[in-house]
Amino acid sequence: MANVAVVGAQWGDEGKGKIVDWLSSRADVVVRFQGGHNAGHTLVINGVTYKLSLLPSGVVRPNKLSIIGNGVVFDPWAFIREVTAIKSQGVEVSPATLQVAENVPLILPVHSALDKAREEARGAGKIGTTGRGIGPAYEDKVARRAIRLCDLGDEAVLKEKVDILLAHHNLLLRGLGAQEMKPADLLDPLREITPQVLPYASVVWKTLDELRRAGKRILFEGAQGSMLDIDHGTYPFVTSSNTVAGNAAAGSGMGPRAVGYVLGICKAYTTRVGSGPFPTELFDDVGELIGQRGKEFGVVTGRKRRCGWFDAVMVRQAVKTGGIDGIAMTKLDVLDGFDEIKVCIGYRLDGQELDYLPANAAAQARVEPIYETFEGWKDSTQGARSWAELPAQAVKYVRHVEELIQAPVALLSTSPERDDTILMNDPFQD
């Protein structure tokens, strides 16, 4: 029985929360392996809506162990706010059900201050970050000056690391015309939050190894999407971590063979938040209608998402770079009622046709989509739980998408409700 990694196959916001929740009924452990509290997941369970950013989606399910792996950047204040929020909704959370890797790097107030100052300084060239300090925290990790969760238990080490950190960041803040920070600006809030977060610290890699050896099913949950990957995405308009499934092992402290099946999530159309290239973006009434039907607003930021037709070239590229074995397609019902539906099957760049998205940012901004047009369907797909309940044209659409992206559709989601899902191939049984 395969352990499963779930990753986005577009620019994030593909509906991973629902799919992870759906799969968590088959898993024993759910692990977040990258990203931070900039990733919004919405779960609807028995009519109750849960909005998660940092916590693994399995946390709302009883008898599941949830883990935040070392590949995540961890905001302790956001963590406590989120734990408090779901506790108020009746969810039981404790160190017995939720563990955080002791070596996870922390997001501190100085990181968000620097993130916002740099984004403001970019002016028209903004990347479109959430301003929550994700990027600067990852930078500190790579530069070997990060403060990690385990450091909170050692006052002497913490003081020394804060001094080193601020010696670097205050230079940057000063250069950007932003207010510098004193050691007390970090130490005082850290001392206050430490008793609340440190009990959740755990030797996660050891726990996961023991669980794997015991035959437990592990579900690895990614954030954002493949085209926001720091290496394989639309650089520089990307996130600051590897979002592809190859990071599931490193970001949780396990070997690569721990991941048996990679499930990529994509919408039946395409959305993007923030700046960056978007070849199939629609600026007309159709794009507006897709956004309204799909309720395309960010869970974390509330920002309106850009909408466009399905880009098979981009998803196929995500399949290849991410090692995706099967696709879970979400929000098929948003396309109900259209007379015709378009799918991007290639790009045109300076008179040449391409079957991939080039790495060069200027080229990405200039590519034009080559479309194939499909006949739409009038009957509703909303709430369908079997192929027999789908209109014939909807089935044809899904089947042709499979051919274009060179991967099978393993799951088909037809509404935000957990059980409105058509299963073609159970990843855990692969």
Side-chain angles (χ1 to χ4, degrees), residues 110-392:
V110 70
H111 293 131
S112 57
L114 180 60
D115 204 356
K116 293 171 184 175
R118 287 199 301 208
E119 189 77 340
E120 185 66 28
R122 289 188 181 102
K126 289 181 179 180
I127 291 176
T129 75
T130 59
R132 299 190 172 212
I134 311 296
Y138 272 117
E139 290 174 32
D140 281 346
K141 174 183 178 178
V142 174
R144 294 166 293 184
R145 58 174 169 262
I147 294 172
R148 305 194 295 178
L149 183 58
C150 55
D151 297 328
L152 298 184
D154 190 322
E155 179 74 12
V157 167
L158 187 60
K159 286 181 179 179
E160 181 181 359
K161 285 198 166 189
V162 166
D163 287 340
I164 293 171
L165 195 71
L166 290 182
H168 173 80
H169 284 296
N170 277 337
L171 283 173
L172 297 176
L173 290 170
R174 189 184 313 151
L176 291 165
Q179 184 176 354
E180 297 180 42
M181 288 194 169
K182 300 175 182 178
D185 294 332
L186 300 184
L187 288 170
D188 290 348
L190 281 172
R191 291 182 184 120
E192 184 179 353
I193 200 74
T194 292
Q196 299 177 63
V197 296
L198 206 52
Y200 290 93
S202 177
V203 186
V204 159
W205 65 266
K206 187 172 184 296
T207 299
L208 287 172
D209 180 67
E210 292 169 352
L211 291 168
R212 182 183 65 83
R213 291 177 181 275
K216 301 298 182 181
R217 290 174 170 178
I218 302 170
L219 183 60
F220 300 91
E221 177 184 10
Q224 290 90 33
S226 297
M227 299 312 292
L228 291 175
D229 185 275
I230 188 68
D231 289 305
H232 302 290
T234 49
Y235 190 93
F237 300 98
V238 292
T239 193
S240 300
S241 62
N242 287 112
T243 61
V244 295
N247 194 27
S252 59
M254 304 189 76
R257 292 183 181 178
V259 181
Y261 186 99
V262 180
L263 181 68
I265 317 297
C266 69
K267 289 174 181 170
Y269 50 96
T270 310
T271 64
R272 177 163 200 170
V273 173
S275 307
F278 187 169
T280 66
E281 184 173 8
L282 294 170
F283 300 95
D284 56 11
D285 292 341
V286 174
E288 189 68 25
L289 182 59
I290 289 174
Q292 291 173 2
R293 286 185 177 181
K295 297 181 175 62
E296 296 298 350
F297 296 90
V299 175
V300 172
T301 63
R303 289 186 292 182
K304 184 178 180 180
R305 297 180 185 131
R306 302 152 65 190
C307 298
W309 294 120
F310 186 83
D311 190 334
V313 183
M314 184 179 73
V315 175
R316 183 173 63 243
Q317 193 160 322
V319 167
K320 305 299 183 183
T321 59
I324 291 172
D325 297 299
I327 287 288
M329 181 179 285
T330 65
K331 295 196 171 185
L332 181 66
D333 55 301
V334 173
L335 299 182
D336 292 352
F338 283 102
D339 292 328
E340 63 178 32
I341 297 169
K342 295 183 179 182
V343 173
C344 176
I345 59 170
Y347 301 129
R348 190 172 288 107
L349 176 65
D350 301 333
Q352 293 185 320
E353 291 189 8
L354 299 178
D355 62 354
Y356 66 96
L357 187 64
N360 181 272
Q364 290 175 353
R366 295 202 313 277
V367 297
E368 299 175 358
I370 300 172
Y371 284 119
E372 184 174 347
T373 302
F374 294 80
E375 180 185 345
W377 54 89
K378 297 300 180 183
D379 295 331
S380 174
T381 64
Q382 187 169 14
R385 299 185 182 183
S386 71
W387 278 110
E389 297 178 52
L390 294 176

Side-chain angles (χ1 to χ4, degrees), residues 19 22-23 263 327-329 409-413 421-424:
I19 300 301
W22 192 88
L23 288 170
L263 181 68
I327 287 288
M329 181 179 285
V409 173
L411 292 165
L412 190 62
S413 172
T421 305
I422 301 172
L423 175 66
M424 279 74 81

